[in-house]
Amino acid sequence: MKGGGGFAGGGADPSVITLARWIRDRARLTPDRVAIDHLGREITFAELDARAEELARSIGHGERVATLTGNSPEHVALFFACAKAGAILTPISWRLSPYEIAYQLDDAEPSLFLSEEDYAELAGEALDLASVRPGRSLDRAVGRPRAPSADDPLLLIYTSGTTGRPKGALLTHANCFWTNLGFDLVAGLGDEDVVLQVLPQFHCGGWNVQPLLAWWKGARVVLERSFDAGRCLSLIEEKRVTTMMGVPSVYQFMAEDPGFGRTDLSSLRRAVVGGAPMPLPLLETWREQGVAIVQGYGLTEAAPNVLCLPPEEAARKAGYAGKPYPYVEVDLSADGELLVRGPNVFPGYWRDPAATEAAFRDGWLLTGDVAECDEEGFFRIKGRLKDVVVSGGENIYPAEIEEVLASHPAVVEAAVVGVPDERWGEACAAFVVLRTETGDAELIAFCRERLARFKVPKSLHVVGELPRNALGKVLKDELTVPA
């Protein structure tokens, strides 16, 4: 396997930077401080560590523990139990079909498959289709956990599968340690912070973008089972939330909620956005409410943090993803692909040496994203390599057109795809979600004023919503032009 994450300590104990230490140390230092606020129930660091220790005695070193659950304190305890035992947590999305879950179970071959009661039927259907027969409860005893090492895998996260079948990305203790340390040095947390966590725990960002760092630093996490715009606004005001993370659609839905303008957001000193570029009008909407947006860029294979645009640069460098986090190196290939290396980069895909080999070039992780860098060292993501539309020999990056369309006051969001064109080979088709009625001709004219002629969409289609995967990313493969 390739990538970063190794430990070099001159003979030091390699367990020092494992995440098993985080909850154990915190429970010793601040046992009575609240770690998790979940639906009104408060769990202290001492309680969380004790539960993790109890669960760890039922998990063997190196085992995979698959889960099908919403965000919950018990899932957090299980994460730290896996960290203590040197096991691998494999959280599976409850938004998947039984067939998709069965595929991931057969690929991961977990020793345990734990599901919440809400998803028991879905879990049963998936097991009926799967070949593996993992245990369904933590009622065994395997003894005191063996201390994990920094390079032991901790998370097995299946990629979204927007291209082909999902692949299991392995993230080690060291990957998680370094990505959280780098994040802390740029957009850090203190023990007085209150973190609102709405991202699903079956995604890398549900752990490594704020929650794990919060528990490392002794902060409180308001843990929600799932995202609801109105409830999130209420929680920010009620719990005096100081920071949160979401994809652009999270902030869009909150801004569109009737209660947005009436909510006291004064406690929210920082909001982090990732997963896709943040539309400039949406940035301005939140800025008018006094909330600083920290833009960034990452991918699961980098655990996930790669680029960050601090809030003080958000206005001047609007549209940019920023500069590399500490301990992260980036570069651009000859064709503009963003390359990444550092101790946050994963060692490879689970039992897939061919895919691992294809993911790296000369020690650099190939992101599949096209970027550009300005004279100040700020990077801007232009789009996916596979999304590039070649029209009459010209490369068109859909993200550029999407940004223009999203800046129109009538447009909530937009997605652009390439479609066959007899004359030019390919042309662009735009799909837009509207907040107020407007004509296609007006939007096309709006694009003509702001884009080169060859970039202007050939057709425009109004849709009620854009198809998304479990994390909220747009599934462009499902956007088809009506016959």
Side-chain angles (χ1 to χ4, degrees), residues 33-153:
R33 185 176 292 166
V34 174
I36 300 173
D37 183 341
H38 178 68
L39 303 179
R41 173 188 167 208
E42 295 183 342
I43 297 95
T44 67
F45 281 98
E47 291 169 337
L48 182 58
D49 183 58
R51 181 56 176 155
E53 192 70 29
E54 179 185 4
L55 293 173
R57 297 178 185 276
S58 298
I59 303 171
H61 192 99
E63 290 186 336
R64 276 79 62 206
V65 180
T67 58
L68 195 65
T69 175
N71 296 350
S72 71
E74 188 74 1
H75 202 210
V76 177
L78 183 62
F79 171 90
F80 283 113
C82 289
K84 290 171 180 283
I88 307 170
L89 182 66
T90 308
I92 297 176
S93 170
W94 41 264
R95 293 171 177 167
L96 299 178
S97 71
Y99 288 92
E100 292 169 311
I101 294 171
Y103 167 78
Q104 293 187 15
L105 290 173
D106 283 342
D107 191 61
E109 292 188 314
S111 301
L112 293 164
F113 179 34
L114 310 175
S115 66
E116 276 188 320
E117 185 177 348
D118 289 354
Y119 305 111
E121 182 177 352
L122 178 60
E125 292 175 358
L127 282 174
D128 288 342
L129 296 167
S131 299
V132 296
R133 291 292 176 264
R136 300 296 302 278
S137 64
L138 285 162
D139 56 1
R140 57 181 186 164
V142 297
R144 185 166 183 82
R146 176 157 60 94
S149 177
D151 287 329
D152 280 344

Side-chain angles (χ1 to χ4, degrees), residues 131-196:
S131 299
V132 296
R133 291 292 176 264
R136 300 296 302 278
S137 64
L138 285 162
D139 56 1
R140 57 181 186 164
V142 297
R144 185 166 183 82
R146 176 157 60 94
S149 177
D151 287 329
D152 280 344
L154 175 57
L155 283 169
L156 177 56
I157 304 286
Y158 280 83
T159 58
S160 59
T162 53
T163 56
R165 285 214 165 188
K167 299 185 289 290
L170 277 174
L171 298 177
T172 67
H173 284 258
N175 293 152
C176 294
F177 179 95
W178 291 108
T179 201
N180 277 282
L181 181 58
F183 186 91
D184 191 34
L185 294 174
V186 173
L189 298 172
D191 58 9
E192 77 288 350
D193 273 306
V194 179
V195 177
L196 177 59

Side-chain angles (χ1 to χ4, degrees), residues 223-243:
L223 185 64
E224 286 292 285
R225 282 186 57 80
S226 58
F227 170 70
D228 177 87
R231 177 168 169 80
C232 283
L233 290 170
S234 297
L235 286 170
I236 292 170
E237 182 172 298
E238 175 191 348
K239 304 289 185 179
R240 305 307 293 164
V241 169
T242 61
T243 185

Side-chain angles (χ1 to χ4, degrees), residues 351-398:
R351 294 178 175 173
D352 197 338
T356 299
E357 187 71 24
F360 290 91
R361 182 188 303 151
D362 298 327
W364 292 89
L365 173 66
L366 307 176
T367 67
D369 288 307
V370 178
E372 60 185 6
C373 183
D374 70 9
E375 65 280 357
E376 297 179 84
F378 288 89
F379 286 83
R380 182 188 185 101
I381 305 300
K382 299 178 68 176
R384 294 288 297 170
L385 273 176
K386 71 179 185 67
D387 286 344
V388 173
V389 177
V390 182
S391 182
E394 296 281 0
N395 288 346
I396 303 173
Y397 297 98

